[in-house]
Amino acid sequence: MKRLSSLLYFLILVPLSAWSQQLVLRGDYPDPSVVKIGDNYWATATTSNWAPAYPILKSKDLVNWQTVSYVFPALPPWADYYFWAPEITHENGKVYVYYAAHKKDGNLCLGVASADKPEGPYTDHGPLMCQEVGSIDAFPMRDTDGKLYMIWKEDANSVGKPTSIWIMEMDEERKTLKGEKKELFRNTIPWEGNLVEGVSLVRHGDYIYAFYAGAGCCGATCTYATGVARSKSLFGPWEKYEKNPVLISNDEWLCPGHGTPVEKDGKNYFMYHAYEKNSNVYAGRQGLLIEYAITPDGWIEFVKPTAPPKHVAITDNAYDFREKDLSSQWQWSVFQQPKFQKKGGELHLTASPTMPGSFLGHKTVTANYAATTKVHAGKSTAVAGLGAIGDEKNMIGLYYDKGNLQIVQVRDGKDSLLSSQKIDNKKKLMLRMEVRNGKDITFFYSLKGGNYTKLNDTPINGAYLPPWDRAIRIGLLSRGEASTAAVFDNFEVDNE
């Protein structure tokens, strides 16, 4: 009977299948971290060069999430970009978010911020570790001796060297690392490629298990996958699973990795990111959830569900700009915080004279969508536009400028006019952008809000737009002198 039970156990433990992963965070949420505090789950994720930095998300069930705040509504003064890989934890009534960011005039460092409650406000405590080649992917853990330690990755792959996972003792205030660092493991197996990273740890029975990612994380040619290792002590020796990698690409999800384990209702889950095959890099690395169990021989394997998981629904977005605050779906570049205000159901976006102008970016969640905005041309003192934005140097947009509609492409910081058409001056007009396959962009306009006129018969190829670690945003654009502003009456996104 014992042998039969073991056989049945292994029958429900299978390699990753296309339908065993549940989509819980639609859109660009790389490197998700999750923790249970009281009756709620709290999560955060990489924002890279989009601000505000690090969303704080809340859920009752690990599936339906709401963004309630950000760790850094204003960026910490010591860092300038690459706000990566946050890890949210809770201990003794305090919430800590460990994170990586690029230090001004330096390299990638590990930092930490704390709060009395998960929604914040957070107080930044500055950098903890700054190695010459960069330090990322912090994870705190106590050993059996009760001491608190920090585990992280040295970013040596950035200079063509093997990558090490290090451990070092941390003080109880989380402001200082002390003692000597020790290497836990490094990339040694072919599937891991030139790195191991994103380590998160959990205890089950006699073992500490490390989930980790290997190979290339990002972009259309990514090779990311997930492995596990185990040890009876934080300091090792660490044994890698002979069946690694345990999460790999399949027909629906590509390059799965970098997440954290979490428990719910007596079951164990792993929340991580992957690219959805259809939307791929254009919608970014999205948050997934999968159950795991411990095998009789003491390893982690993933559990085949009894029914296909229900992904969170695709929803449309509509804004009349009468709400007090901007939706959490809006972001801006860490290099250019736009000035804007709402007045009488209108968004006034202060201009910038350089291309593509100042902008607010709205998250995308699918490969096929349409975005529409009503421009109040009569009140706008700047050129107003709608476009697809990769970053501040890569954009494709439609602008309205004093009776001219212009399609402009910005690539590597250089702008070019693709087309221009004169129309009657109007107090208000509608601009529309339709996107297919995540990258094929067609622009339209309407003077009366009814039938739309197509401006480009051949879709513009936006494949170059997303940076290697981010997704495309839909942007509202404002170009002109800093004393001017573009005025928008509304904004809608229809997702398919």
Side-chain angles (χ1 to χ4, degrees), residues 161-328:
K161 296 180 180 180
T163 59
S164 296
I165 303 300
W166 295 100
I167 185 170
M168 195 169 177
E169 189 177 351
M170 181 167 48
D171 76 322
E172 291 294 332
E173 292 184 348
R174 277 77 167 176
K175 294 181 180 180
T176 306
L177 299 183
K178 56 186 180 179
E180 298 292 327
K181 69 180 187 296
K182 179 182 178 181
E183 183 181 281
L184 299 186
F185 58 89
R186 62 171 60 186
N187 55 313
T188 55
I189 301 172
W191 77 266
E192 296 168 344
N194 67 339
L195 63 83
V196 289
E197 63 183 16
V199 171
S200 58
L201 305 172
V202 65
R203 280 190 175 87
H204 292 295
D206 294 333
Y207 286 104
I208 302 170
Y209 295 89
F211 292 85
Y212 70 93
C217 74
C218 314
T221 60
C222 65
T223 54
Y224 226 35
T226 296
V228 293
R230 70 181 184 184
S231 173
K232 292 186 176 181
S233 165
L234 266 181
F235 285 84
W238 284 88
E239 175 189 7
K240 295 177 181 178
Y241 193 19
E242 65 178 10
K243 294 183 180 180
N244 282 342
V246 291
L247 294 180
I248 59 174
S249 297
N250 56 51
D251 291 339
E252 186 179 2
W253 296 101
L254 307 176
C255 303
H258 199 142
T260 49
V262 64
E263 184 271 338
K264 179 180 180 292
D265 298 334
K267 296 181 179 180
N268 298 302
Y269 296 88
F270 184 55
M271 181 184 283
Y272 59 102
H273 74 238
Y275 290 109
E276 193 267 332
K277 186 174 182 180
N278 291 331
S279 59
N280 207 291
V281 297
Y282 306 108
R285 293 170 286 170
Q286 307 190 56
L288 299 167
L289 192 70
I290 189 170
E291 185 184 351
Y292 72 88
I294 307 300
T295 65
D297 60 346
W299 283 104
I300 284 175
E301 297 222 33
F302 293 97
V303 177
K304 181 177 180 180
T306 56
K310 295 180 180 179
H311 298 325
V312 289
I314 298 175
T315 58
D316 296 330
N317 304 95
Y319 308 96
D320 61 9
F321 299 126
R322 294 184 182 278
E323 65 275 12
K324 179 181 177 182
D325 299 314
L326 277 182
S327 163
S328 61

Side-chain angles (χ1 to χ4, degrees), residues 313-385:
I314 298 175
T315 58
D316 296 330
N317 304 95
Y319 308 96
D320 61 9
F321 299 126
R322 294 184 182 278
E323 65 275 12
K324 179 181 177 182
D325 299 314
L326 277 182
S327 163
S328 61
Q329 297 297 304
W330 291 99
Q331 297 174 293
W332 50 86
S333 170
V334 297
F335 302 112
Q336 182 209 81
Q337 180 164 353
K339 295 179 181 179
F340 58 88
Q341 57 180 322
K342 296 178 182 179
K343 294 190 296 186
E346 297 168 341
L347 178 71
H348 293 242
L349 178 59
T350 299
S352 172
T354 58
M355 276 293 190
S358 66
F359 57 84
L360 287 170
H362 190 281
K363 280 191 174 183
T364 57
V365 298
T366 63
N368 301 312
Y369 56 89
T372 307
T373 187
K374 181 185 289 185
V375 174
H376 201 311
K379 290 186 179 181
S380 295
T381 53
V383 178

Side-chain angles (χ1 to χ4, degrees), residues 367-416:
N368 301 312
Y369 56 89
T372 307
T373 187
K374 181 185 289 185
V375 174
H376 201 311
K379 290 186 179 181
S380 295
T381 53
V383 178
L386 173 70
I389 295 175
D391 58 21
E392 63 283 346
K393 293 184 178 181
N394 295 279
M395 184 278 309
I396 299 170
L398 171 62
Y399 292 90
Y400 175 75
D401 182 12
K402 299 177 182 178
N404 286 300
L405 286 170
Q406 300 174 333
I407 300 177
V408 177
Q409 177 175 273
V410 181
R411 187 165 188 166
D412 295 328
K414 298 179 180 179
D415 59 276
S416 56

